[in-house]
Amino acid sequence: MQSLAPRRTGSVLTSTLGRAGVVAIAMLIIASDGSADPSVVATEYLGPFTGEGAQLHPDNVQPIRAEYFGTDLGFSYTHEGRIHFLFGDTTASEPYAPIEASTGGDYDDAFGAVDSAEWSDARRITRQNIPLIKLGQNSGTSEVAAINPGHPMALGQTPIGGFSNGEREFGLFNIGKPRGCRVDDDCGEGLTCDTILGFMGRPYTEWSGLTLACRDGAPGCSNDTMQDDAGKSVPQSGLCVDETSSIGADPVSHLLTTTALQVLIGLRDKQDPRRYVDTRYWLTSKFVNVAARTVQDFAPERPRAEQDYRPASGSGDRRRVFLWSRPSFIGVGARGRNMALYFAYVDMPEGEGYVWQPQYFTGSRDDIPTFSTDQRAAVPLDLDSSVAGVQTIEPHDVVNQLSVAWVAPLKKWVMFYGGGMSRLPTATLAKCGVLEVFTGPECVSVDVGNGAVRMRSADNPWGPWSPPQDVIVGGDPARGAIEQYAPGGALHHSQCVAPTCAPHLDSPHYSADEYGFFYAANIIEEWITPAPGGVDIVWNASTWDPYRVVLLRTRLKE
């Protein structure tokens, strides 16, 4: 329930108000907006949605069975009567094999859809009746079709969201590439050039492979970052950064820096659903880990009661795409690298020649937000509506991907995020295993927590957001086969040996003691259903082991 502390409205209530006065004001605020923060009642694990243990769609079985084993992510949106899902790194077999061998494995992100009319009533979804996703499949072959946004999309380069304007579809892709520079003007986007930064791995001009920022002079760090028109290295060049990003802290980390990375936006080809064309490049630090939702009618200057936050449909010159993001997926709070939450919006793109100009949230007063096209001016959102007048920060290091949706029966924005992370050492990641991929050597300072997917809610998309609540707890693998590691749970644990335990993925990249964790929570907007005293939300999440996407249902109480 909502605290009786007053909400922050841009001015701090002074200590001259007595306790009774503060409570009275708080009660007036609660009465005026008519809603308290919803609470989690329970979450049910429904079962595998796609991947191991999930049934293939009949069209992926006949006339040619798709070579398909597992995938992750699964960000959703509706277009032309279907709920579309954009998946991440997808495998054709248990020991990793590319889904599109015909393109040499340069593309490994899959897509699929569910018929909206067939599944218009989410109450029909049960453990025994889970919707079948029709995967894209290359005609006349066993290949699962792979997304191609005009650049190679190898391991780790994935979709991060999609949306529809009613006529055309758009995708957002994380390609993880910085931009080289000599001076600030080389960066654009309001960013600055940090010439003490070099790179490790592949040059940023090569779209495949990792490009990591590093400080000049570090072992293996090249300080000739930029290349001229002839492809020659430019001495003493650096990388574009946003020094105001919450991830920044000294010393410079190979992975957790204010270095801006390219996010690609593409328009889906009408004839070939694998391809995205007319691409835009968004160089950003604060919006690397972004979630997108459309709204029908939003004007910043209007009061909340006059905004139409329903998913966009039809036409309208105030249709927008809302964007929430964090600067990475894992933070290190102990070292000052915080995963702050940011907000922006863009006007609804119309089609070929569309404009992508984010308007970044810079603060609010009396619930009227202000925005700027300068991303350095973007400020962190307030993440604790129970603390009056205090700018709060994210207390959890593991935020993973996030999903935000307007829940009309509650008149609230609801956000799911978080999950867990494996820190088992491997041959190539001897310090912290997979966690090291995201945080480098600072992984030893990460607080992994209890592996929970968490929820926050807010009246306005910029907050203030309610304190986090656990939606579902994955569990602490050190405590054994309990919670979602127990029989019937979604996550694998080596100590769970019953027939109903989640299976183990046989992969050379996994430890023999590998365990699963939740990530990439995705609220399926179309499957939000009123329920007695609240609402049911059907959502999907990825599990590391087994490597698949699962379906869940959460009951929220008003």
Side-chain angles (χ1 to χ4, degrees), residues 65-98:
R65 186 179 183 88
E67 291 186 45
Y68 172 71
F69 176 76
T71 192
D72 68 351
L73 307 184
F75 302 115
S76 63
Y77 62 93
T78 294
H79 179 73
E80 294 185 343
R82 295 192 295 171
I83 305 172
H84 292 260
F85 294 88
L86 302 179
F87 296 107
D89 300 321
T90 308
T91 66
S93 61
E94 189 165 3
Y96 175 80

Side-chain angles (χ1 to χ4, degrees), residues 72 88-91 96-98 105-109 152-158 174-175 207-210 437 509 544 547:
D72 68 351
D89 300 321
T90 308
T91 66
Y96 175 80
D106 284 340
Y107 309 96
D108 70 352
D109 304 303
M153 294 284 287
L155 283 170
Q157 296 172 309
T158 67
N174 192 332
I175 54 179
W207 290 106
S208 61
L210 285 173
V437 172
H509 303 295
W544 175 249
Y547 187 64

Side-chain angles (χ1 to χ4, degrees), residues 450-529:
N450 66 353
V453 173
R454 298 183 170 89
M455 181 195 79
R456 296 178 182 271
S457 62
D459 294 330
N460 295 306
W462 50 88
W465 288 85
S466 67
Q469 302 175 48
D470 289 352
V471 174
I472 188 170
V473 175
D476 178 355
R479 296 177 60 201
I482 61 173
E483 294 169 325
Q484 288 299 310
Y485 296 123
L491 307 176
H492 172 75
H493 195 288
S494 60
Q495 294 177 18
C496 189
V497 295
T500 57
C501 292
H504 173 55
L505 172 61
D506 183 14
S507 169
H509 303 295
Y510 279 25
S511 164
D513 296 321
E514 196 65 65
Y515 51 82
F517 56 85
F518 290 121
Y519 64 104
N522 172 68
I523 298 171
I524 302 173
E525 207 167 33
E526 297 77 3
W527 293 343
I528 298 172
T529 308

Side-chain angles (χ1 to χ4, degrees), residues 357-376:
Q357 178 57 72
Q359 303 287 331
Y360 300 96
F361 174 75
T362 60
S364 65
R365 186 175 183 83
D366 299 325
D367 272 345
I368 303 299
T370 57
F371 293 89
S372 171
T373 57
D374 181 358
Q375 64 179 294
R376 291 175 304 177

Side-chain angles (χ1 to χ4, degrees), residues 47-51 54-55 85 114 130-133 524 527 540 549-551:
F49 194 27
T50 185
Q55 184 179 344
F85 294 88
V114 169
I130 290 179
L132 302 183
I133 299 173
I524 302 173
W527 293 343
N540 57 275
V549 179
V550 299
L551 204 60

